[in-house]
Amino acid sequence: MTGKTVLVVGDSWSASIGLGMSEVGAAHNTVVNAGLGGCGILLPVGKETPQTCRTWPTQWPSYLEKYKPDATLLTVGFWDVIPQRLAGDEEALDLTSPTHETAFRDRLNQAISILTSRNTPLYLMTSQQVGNPKYRSSALVMNRVLREASARHPGVRLLDLRGQLCNDDGCPQVLAGTQVYDPTDHPTKPARARLANWALNALFAKDGA
């Protein structure tokens, strides 16, 4: 595919995949990489959340207006599965808390409403943290909510990121001969290139190679 514009929003994994898209497809396409490390969509309270993480409800509409993307990719499968303290919480909780699951669903619906407002196809990525025992239960909740949202909204599709990183034996450090994770637990350059090609093909397969 050529001449396409992709808007990438979400957390640091989103930013990493957006970087991969730029590396493999920049010569023929435009990638607007607006992924931000340490940022999800839950808008937790507290000084630990940078102010830049709180602006997505107003920032994303401006990206749509400015860049008019052909597709948008949203990934929050790392940041929003970890425990966070929302308004009214006495302690940080993850998505296994019914109130946090409801909060995530509400914020996801808000994000979908914004990102599909121009009838732009929206792609949601599942959480790869299902393979992490520490966050597995929370990630399973997230993936269920994501599946429900993609089934409910005709302009929304689900991409199985976990399926690209894991096999029957789990989520290994080396997959098909490629080191998957760097020291920060984000994709290595070869891994993000593979993920970027997979995602771009999923976004634009109907338009031809």
Side-chain angles (χ1 to χ4, degrees):
M1 64 278 178
T2 60
K4 300 295 184 182
T5 297
V6 183
L7 172 62
V8 181
V9 293
D11 59 18
S12 56
W13 264 76
S14 194
S16 183
I17 292 171
L19 175 60
M21 287 181 171
S22 295
E23 291 168 342
V24 304
H28 305 291
N29 302 283
T30 300
V31 179
V32 181
N33 190 357
L36 293 172
C39 296
I41 59 174
L42 270 175
L43 302 180
V45 298
K47 295 180 180 179
E48 65 274 12
T49 303
Q51 182 59 33
T52 52
C53 295
R54 305 180 191 277
T55 62
W56 66 262
T58 55
Q59 192 66 51
W60 291 356
S62 69
Y63 292 149
L64 295 171
E65 178 64 28
K66 180 176 181 179
Y67 297 107
K68 299 176 175 56
D70 297 291
T72 301
L73 178 68
L74 170 62
T75 307
V76 291
F78 180 81
W79 197 255
D80 278 338
V81 301
I82 68 174
Q84 301 183 67
R85 187 168 62 87
L86 304 183
D89 289 344
E90 295 183 358
E91 61 181 352
L93 300 170
D94 64 20
L95 297 185
T96 60
S97 160
T99 57
H100 278 230
E101 177 183 338
T102 297
F104 179 74
R105 182 180 287 105
D106 290 345
R107 289 300 185 187
L108 179 62
N109 286 334
Q110 181 184 10
I112 289 172
S113 179
I114 291 171
L115 295 173
T116 61
S117 61
R118 298 175 61 92
N119 294 319
T120 304
L122 172 62
Y123 293 81
L124 308 174
M125 279 192 172
T126 59
S127 175
Q128 79 284 7
Q129 292 297 316
V130 170
N132 184 335
K134 185 176 181 179
Y135 301 124
R136 175 178 171 79
S137 296
S138 184
L140 286 171
V141 175
M142 173 179 282
N143 288 347
R144 173 171 53 78
V145 173
L146 293 172
R147 284 195 301 272
E148 292 169 353
S150 65
R152 190 167 58 249
H153 297 275
V156 178
R157 301 288 183 271
L158 192 64
L159 299 182
D160 185 14
L161 178 60
R162 179 188 178 278
Q164 292 294 312
L165 296 169
C166 307
N167 55 30
D168 292 341
D169 299 320
C171 304
Q173 292 290 321
V174 178
L175 189 62
T178 298
Q179 181 71 33
V180 179
Y181 302 101
D182 66 16
T184 69
D185 288 327
H186 291 82
T188 61
K189 185 173 182 178
R192 70 173 178 253
R194 183 176 67 82
L195 292 173
N197 278 314
W198 161 69
L200 286 169
N201 286 333
L203 266 59
F204 302 116
K206 65 180 182 300
D207 298 313

